[in-house]
Amino acid sequence: MTGISRTSADLDPRRRRILFRAWHRGIREMDLILGQFAEAELATLSETELDELEAIMREEDNDLVRWITGENPLPDRYATELFARIAAYRPDFDPVRHETK
């Protein structure tokens, strides 16, 4: 998957903005991680989780990648269940779909 596949028609304006921002990051790796995470999880996140996601998304992409990959230690402020879910999320990096018969 290389781009948004979820419609935002059923989302409130805040979630629409977050979804757009998740897919339009500074580096492609974060587009794929945050974009696909947002597509899968955004509709069910609580207001508190949305606040936290927006705070995470304000961080620099290079810092986020290093924290997610474990290259740099994660700041205490992000040692949360939501960040762990984002870091554990494995996006689909394969743009080719293979049909099984």
Side-chain angles (χ1 to χ4, degrees):
M1 177 182 297
T2 59
I4 192 167
S5 63
R6 182 198 199 289
T7 179
S8 63
D10 63 333
L11 297 176
D12 62 76
R14 181 182 187 191
R15 284 180 169 81
R16 286 181 190 168
R17 284 190 300 274
I18 292 171
L19 182 60
F20 180 85
R21 286 179 40 223
W23 273 113
H24 296 86
R25 305 295 303 174
I27 59 175
R28 190 65 178 149
E29 293 84 355
M30 289 312 302
D31 287 351
L32 293 171
I33 292 169
L34 285 176
Q36 290 182 38
F37 176 83
E39 278 195 26
E41 305 283 334
L42 196 59
T44 61
L45 294 180
S46 69
E47 292 298 315
T48 301
E49 290 171 320
L50 291 175
D51 292 342
E52 184 179 345
L53 179 57
E54 287 178 318
I56 290 167
M57 291 174 57
R58 283 191 292 271
E59 296 290 343
E60 293 292 326
D61 284 336
N62 289 320
D63 291 336
L64 288 171
V65 167
R66 288 182 186 111
W67 297 333
I68 288 171
T69 62
E71 183 179 337
N72 287 354
L74 182 64
D76 290 340
R77 69 184 176 277
Y78 293 129
T80 65
E81 191 268 331
L82 181 65
F83 196 93
R85 283 171 45 203
I86 293 169
Y89 190 77
R90 296 295 179 245
D92 179 5
F93 289 106
D94 183 6
V96 177
R97 300 284 182 215
H98 303 282
E99 290 187 32
T100 58
K101 293 183 181 187

